[in-house]
Amino acid sequence: MGGPGNPPEGTPEGAPGGGEDEYRSVVFDESFVRAARLQEFSAQERIDDHAPAVRRRPPLRRGLSRQALVLVLLIAVAFGTAIYMGVRHPYQTPAAQEPVEPLRMTVIPLAPEGKVPGAADPAYLYEHSPAAQFRTGAEGVPLPASRRTAHFSDSQVVSALTTAKDYIVRSALDPEVLTGGEVRAVRVLLDPDQLDQFDQSFARPTADGRHAPTGWLVRFDPSRAELADRKVRVQGTLQAAEADASTLEVTADHTFVYALRAAGGGDKDEVSLFTLRRELHFRFDRDDLRLHQAQLLVSYVQAGPLSCAEDSTNHLRPLLAGQTAKEGGPAGTDPYATGGATALCGTLATSAQPKV
């Protein structure tokens, strides 16, 4: 007789040795059984319904789970909210920007009534002038307390004021700019739509109220004068206001006092003071605020001691210690001619100069 686990005839020929079942390694776990597409009817079901031995099970649902559906719904709601807020946001950038206006500039030379006062020590001149209490350099251009406007946040107002201050510092206090060499540091702060006017002003200076380098920045004729003290005295104000829903404007009004001596002169040469009053009007749209650049609309400058007989379009040619203004004034201007600005010249008050 065969073993208790073997058929009476023994192990069939060709079967694996030892009587092992060749399907013994296959494991039918619960998930495998549930996933089967065919399911056997129970005996009672076959008797009652005369149904076949097996039935086909409905396919498993493979759609998104409930958690996945909730997540998709939340993402859709968030995306829709973002679009709605982008349309309704009060700080939304307007679709169309207004064209940038060209800079309008006026430079008025102030001629002294007599000889220009001078001294060996710049500090002595400052102490005996109206600039005695002025601050030095960028400290003389403080930012005012800023407040948000109806359509601009605090940070946007601060950005406009900071850009205006940077322009003032670079264009009127940078020694490289003052000596007639550097212009790029000023140029990069301008709105791109004004760069053509800026470049034309330096390539072909013209006294037409549009293309004078001295309307954009302060620079002295390097063949005439040099800085005797790099610590320029400054005093003035900055004010920001909302022009409309898409525009901020900043007005700057500052007085600068420079200590100068003759170009190429030594320390023994006398020093004189040069005073410049400068009013600038800036405009900022939202792109300007984001890119840290400005539109310069108005530049109004009064400076002296200068001679009215000399051209101050390209460089300022100051009168130095002991010098007097040349007789005569600027060439006459035809008021009927178009495209030309009427020449202006003033007198530098004696009280505006140091008492030595």
Side-chain angles (χ1 to χ4, degrees):
M1 294 181 63
N6 297 326
E9 297 82 3
T11 302
E13 184 179 356
E20 293 182 358
D21 188 351
E22 62 178 321
Y23 298 106
R24 180 175 298 174
S25 61
V26 179
V27 178
F28 298 98
D29 57 12
E30 184 179 355
S31 62
F32 178 84
V33 174
R34 289 181 178 180
R37 300 298 299 275
L38 298 178
Q39 184 180 32
E40 183 179 4
F41 287 102
S42 66
Q44 185 63 42
E45 287 175 329
R46 292 198 298 271
I47 294 174
D48 294 342
D49 299 333
H50 305 285
V54 296
R55 60 184 173 189
R56 183 174 297 275
R57 299 183 66 184
L60 294 177
R61 295 182 179 179
R62 300 185 181 273
L64 295 175
S65 66
R66 178 176 300 177
Q67 292 85 351
L69 289 174
V70 172
L71 179 60
V72 171
L73 180 60
L74 289 176
I75 293 175
V77 171
F79 186 71
T81 302
I83 294 177
Y84 174 79
M85 292 300 294
V87 173
R88 301 285 296 178
H89 200 282
Y91 303 149
Q92 178 74 11
T93 302
Q97 299 288 350
E98 295 182 3
V100 176
E101 297 179 15
L103 170 62
R104 294 177 287 112
M105 59 185 70
T106 304
V107 180
I108 302 177
L110 303 177
E113 295 180 342
K115 290 185 178 181
V116 176
D121 185 10
Y124 177 83
L125 289 177
Y126 282 128
E127 290 173 2
H128 292 80
S129 76
Q133 304 301 320
F134 284 15
R135 295 183 180 181
T136 302
E139 294 180 357
V141 193
L143 295 180
S146 61
R147 295 182 179 178
R148 63 174 300 162
T149 66
H151 299 90
F152 292 89
S153 65
D154 286 334
S155 62
Q156 289 174 313
V157 175
V158 170
S159 177
L161 290 168
T162 302
T163 304
K165 175 178 178 175
D166 288 347
Y167 188 94
I168 293 166
V169 170
R170 295 187 190 184
S171 64
L173 297 175
D174 186 346
E176 298 298 323
V177 173
L178 296 176
T179 53
E182 173 66 31
V183 298
R184 184 180 181 278
V186 179
R187 186 181 188 273
V188 296
L189 291 176
L190 290 171
D191 186 287
D193 289 342
Q194 287 191 313
L195 295 182
D196 286 344
Q197 183 187 5
F198 182 90
D199 293 340
Q200 185 178 346
S201 298
F202 289 86
R204 296 180 297 277
T206 307
D208 60 355
R210 291 289 190 274
H211 301 95
T214 50
W216 296 98
L217 47 82
V218 179
R219 66 175 186 173
F220 300 104
D221 185 347
S223 66
R224 176 72 63 88
E226 63 183 27
L227 293 174
D229 185 0
R230 287 174 172 251
K231 298 179 180 179
V232 181
R233 304 303 195 268
V234 188
Q235 180 171 282
T237 61
L238 280 170
Q239 294 181 345
E242 180 178 312
D244 53 48
S246 60
T247 309
L248 276 175
E249 291 188 352
V250 173
T251 301
D253 189 354
H254 293 84
T255 299
F256 305 85
V257 184
Y258 306 88
L260 305 176
R261 63 163 53 98
D267 294 339
K268 294 182 180 180
D269 287 355
E270 283 196 330
V271 178
S272 61
L273 298 185
F274 185 90
T275 305
L276 184 143
R277 173 78 176 274
R278 191 184 192 207
E279 184 176 342
L280 302 178
H281 291 194
F282 299 93
R283 178 178 293 169
F284 301 86
D285 59 30
R286 299 188 188 280
D287 285 340
D288 293 327
L289 295 174
R290 178 173 55 85
L291 298 174
H292 192 65
Q293 60 192 21
Q295 305 169 32
L296 183 56
L297 303 183
V298 176
S299 173
Y300 183 81
V301 177
Q302 301 177 47
L306 290 169
S307 175
C308 294
E310 295 197 56
D311 184 13
S312 300
T313 302
N314 194 16
H315 293 89
L316 298 174
R317 296 180 170 88
L319 296 173
L320 303 174
Q323 295 180 338
T324 58
K326 296 180 180 179
E327 295 182 359
T333 301
D334 182 0
Y336 293 96
T338 59
T342 302
L344 298 174
C345 187
T347 300
L348 181 62
T350 303
S351 61
Q353 302 187 66
K355 296 176 172 57
V356 298

